Amino acid sequence: MKRISSYLWAALLLLAPALCQAADFSIPAVTLSTNADGEQEYSLSMQVLLFLTALTVLPSLIMMVTSFTRFIIVMSILRQAIGLQASPSNQILVGMSLFMTMFVMSPVFNQIYDTAIVPYTEDQISGRQAFELAQKPLKTFMLSQTRIKDLNSFMEYSGEKADKPEELSMKVIIPAFMVSELKTAFQIGFMIFLPFLVIDLVVASILMAMGMMMLSPVLIALPFKLMLFVLVDGWSMIIGTMIASFGIGAG
């Protein structure tokens, strides 16, 4: 069987040039040209390849340069604080976080579309210029949510220096932004966790005083935590607090 397979591969390799020639098969050329301004531009085939490659890393970009990280972490901490293991499900939490991310990031995306994508599609600017223009709104958003301490730390790690934060490269701004987002998300999660922790302690103390040690305090406290969360309209309060933490709707 192995010998037959090797024969088939050999025949395929021998017939491949003839088959490609008969089918008029050709690989699109990937060229690098120079425009009138002296800037180098990739051919359309290379631009399509780069675009498809960017789509594969799109989920990572959403987590690195948008508000998605803060939303999903706070939602996960909220679910743990209430004591629910699988409700709301991960799909619901991710969906809510994505829609809130689109709400928060829509001004940034609109600015990128107007200043970078539209001029590029109308052949007014090159691909490199469009990429540089698209970075500016993202840098402005990320720097507004990044702590100076985190920014200085990554500047020291990378050895990069700049007179203004806007002049820093993305390799410094993105990790500093993510660390700041993680810290902010855990601060919000801590404040959310406190009232539910108080309910757990009260229920556990009451059960201990009544001698009902065989009952699970978590199971008994769950209805009270759900009732508290519904009475204070917890979803609207938490979503509104997280959106306001990005400076939207303030003032």
Side-chain angles (χ1 to χ4, degrees):
M1 180 63 82
K2 292 183 179 179
R3 182 175 299 178
I4 294 175
S5 300
S6 61
Y7 289 159
L8 290 176
W9 276 110
L12 182 61
L13 291 175
L14 291 174
L15 292 176
L19 292 174
C20 292
Q21 184 176 4
D24 193 17
F25 177 79
S26 61
I27 299 175
V30 178
T31 58
L32 186 64
S33 59
T34 305
N35 57 17
D37 298 331
E39 294 183 353
Q40 292 181 335
E41 292 185 353
Y42 290 103
S43 63
L44 180 60
S45 302
M46 190 62 181
Q47 293 178 15
V48 172
L49 178 62
L50 293 175
F51 176 73
L52 294 177
T53 304
L55 288 180
T56 61
V57 298
L58 185 60
S60 300
L61 290 176
I62 292 177
M63 290 185 289
M64 289 189 297
V65 301
T66 67
S67 57
F68 178 82
T69 300
R70 186 183 303 186
F71 286 129
I72 192 63
I73 290 178
V74 172
M75 292 292 184
S76 301
I77 292 177
L78 171 63
R79 184 172 64 180
Q80 275 192 324
I82 295 177
L84 299 172
Q85 300 299 324
S87 181
S89 63
N90 292 331
Q91 292 84 352
I92 295 177
L93 295 183
V94 171
M96 290 178 61
S97 300
L98 281 175
F99 275 102
M100 287 189 292
T101 299
M102 292 297 297
F103 181 81
V104 171
M105 300 296 298
S106 57
V108 179
F109 293 154
N110 290 336
Q111 190 175 356
I112 292 174
Y113 180 79
D114 294 335
T115 60
I117 297 178
V118 172
Y120 176 69
T121 55
E122 295 178 353
D123 294 330
Q124 297 177 2
I125 58 176
S126 64
R128 181 175 298 179
Q129 290 174 331
F131 181 74
E132 292 175 355
L133 290 174
Q135 287 185 9
K136 292 182 180 179
L138 283 176
K139 281 186 177 182
T140 302
F141 169 77
M142 287 190 289
L143 289 174
S144 66
Q145 305 298 325
T146 305
R147 292 173 173 82
I148 299 298
K149 180 180 178 182
D150 297 329
L151 204 60
N152 292 334
S153 297
F154 281 95
M155 286 176 61
E156 183 179 352
Y157 300 153
S158 64
E160 186 174 337
K161 296 181 180 180
D163 297 331
K164 297 179 181 179
E166 293 80 6
E167 298 175 357
L168 292 170
S169 63
M170 281 295 193
K171 71 177 183 180
V172 174
I173 296 178
I174 289 178
F177 169 74
M178 293 186 67
V179 171
S180 296
E181 284 294 286
L182 289 173
K183 184 175 182 179
T184 303
F186 277 98
Q187 287 177 343
I188 298 175
F190 173 75
M191 299 303 297
I192 292 174
F193 218 108
L194 281 180
F196 297 109
L197 181 61
V198 171
I199 293 177
D200 286 332
L201 291 175
V202 171
V203 171
S205 300
I206 293 175
L207 292 178
M208 186 73 67
M210 297 176 64
M212 299 181 179
M213 299 185 219
M214 300 300 295
L215 290 176
S216 173
V218 177
L219 183 62
I220 302 301
L222 179 58
F224 296 99
K225 291 190 285 188
L226 289 176
M227 181 179 64
L228 172 66
F229 192 69
V230 172
L231 288 177
V232 300
D233 197 8
W235 288 114
S236 297
M237 183 182 299
I238 290 174
I239 290 174
T241 300
M242 285 192 291
I243 291 177
S245 66
F246 289 97
I248 297 179

